[in-house]
Coordinates of all heavy atoms in Angstrom, one line a residue:
G220 N 4.1 -11.0 3.3 CA 3.4 -11.4 2.1 C 3.5 -10.5 0.9 O 3.6 -10.9 -0.2
L221 N 3.4 -9.2 1.2 CA 3.6 -8.1 0.2 C 5.0 -8.2 -0.4 O 5.1 -8.0 -1.7 CB 3.4 -6.8 0.9 CG 3.1 -5.6 0.0 CD1 1.8 -5.7 -0.7 CD2 3.2 -4.3 0.8
A222 N 6.0 -8.6 0.3 CA 7.3 -8.7 -0.2 C 7.5 -10.0 -1.0 O 8.5 -10.0 -1.8 CB 8.3 -8.7 1.0
G223 N 6.6 -10.9 -0.9 CA 6.7 -12.1 -1.7 C 6.9 -13.4 -1.0 O 7.0 -14.5 -1.6
A224 N 6.8 -13.4 0.4 CA 6.9 -14.6 1.2 C 5.5 -15.3 1.1 O 4.5 -14.7 0.9 CB 7.2 -14.3 2.6
I225 N 5.6 -16.6 1.3 CA 4.4 -17.4 1.5 C 4.2 -17.6 3.0 O 4.9 -18.4 3.7 CB 4.5 -18.8 0.8 CG1 4.8 -18.6 -0.7 CG2 3.2 -19.6 1.0 CD1 5.2 -19.8 -1.4
V226 N 3.3 -16.8 3.6 CA 3.2 -16.7 5.1 C 2.2 -17.7 5.6 O 1.0 -17.7 5.1 CB 2.9 -15.3 5.5 CG1 2.8 -15.2 7.0 CG2 3.9 -14.3 5.0
D227 N 2.5 -18.5 6.5 CA 1.7 -19.5 7.1 C 1.7 -19.4 8.6 O 2.8 -19.3 9.2 CB 2.1 -20.9 6.7 CG 1.2 -22.0 7.2 OD1 0.1 -21.7 7.7 OD2 1.6 -23.2 7.1
T228 N 0.6 -19.2 9.3 CA 0.6 -19.1 10.7 C -0.3 -20.2 11.4 O -1.2 -20.6 10.8 CB 0.1 -17.7 11.2 OG1 -1.2 -17.4 10.6 CG2 1.0 -16.6 10.7
G229 N 0.1 -20.6 12.6 CA -0.6 -21.6 13.3 C -1.6 -20.9 14.3 O -1.8 -19.7 14.2
P230 N -2.1 -21.7 15.2 CA -3.0 -21.2 16.3 C -2.3 -20.1 17.1 O -1.1 -20.1 17.3 CB -3.3 -22.4 17.1 CG -3.1 -23.6 16.2 CD -2.0 -23.2 15.4
D231 N -3.1 -19.1 17.5 CA -2.5 -17.9 18.2 C -1.9 -18.4 19.5 O -2.4 -19.2 20.3 CB -3.7 -16.9 18.6 CG -4.2 -16.3 17.4 OD1 -3.6 -16.4 16.3 OD2 -5.3 -15.6 17.5
F232 N -0.7 -17.9 19.7 CA 0.1 -18.1 20.9 C 0.4 -19.6 21.2 O 0.5 -20.0 22.4 CB -0.5 -17.4 22.1 CG -0.6 -15.9 22.0 CD1 -1.8 -15.3 21.7 CD2 0.6 -15.2 22.1 CE1 -1.8 -13.9 21.6 CE2 0.6 -13.8 21.9 CZ -0.6 -13.2 21.7

Side-chain angles (χ1 to χ4, degrees):
L221 198 66
I225 302 166
V226 181
D227 182 14
T228 54
D231 294 348
F232 296 108

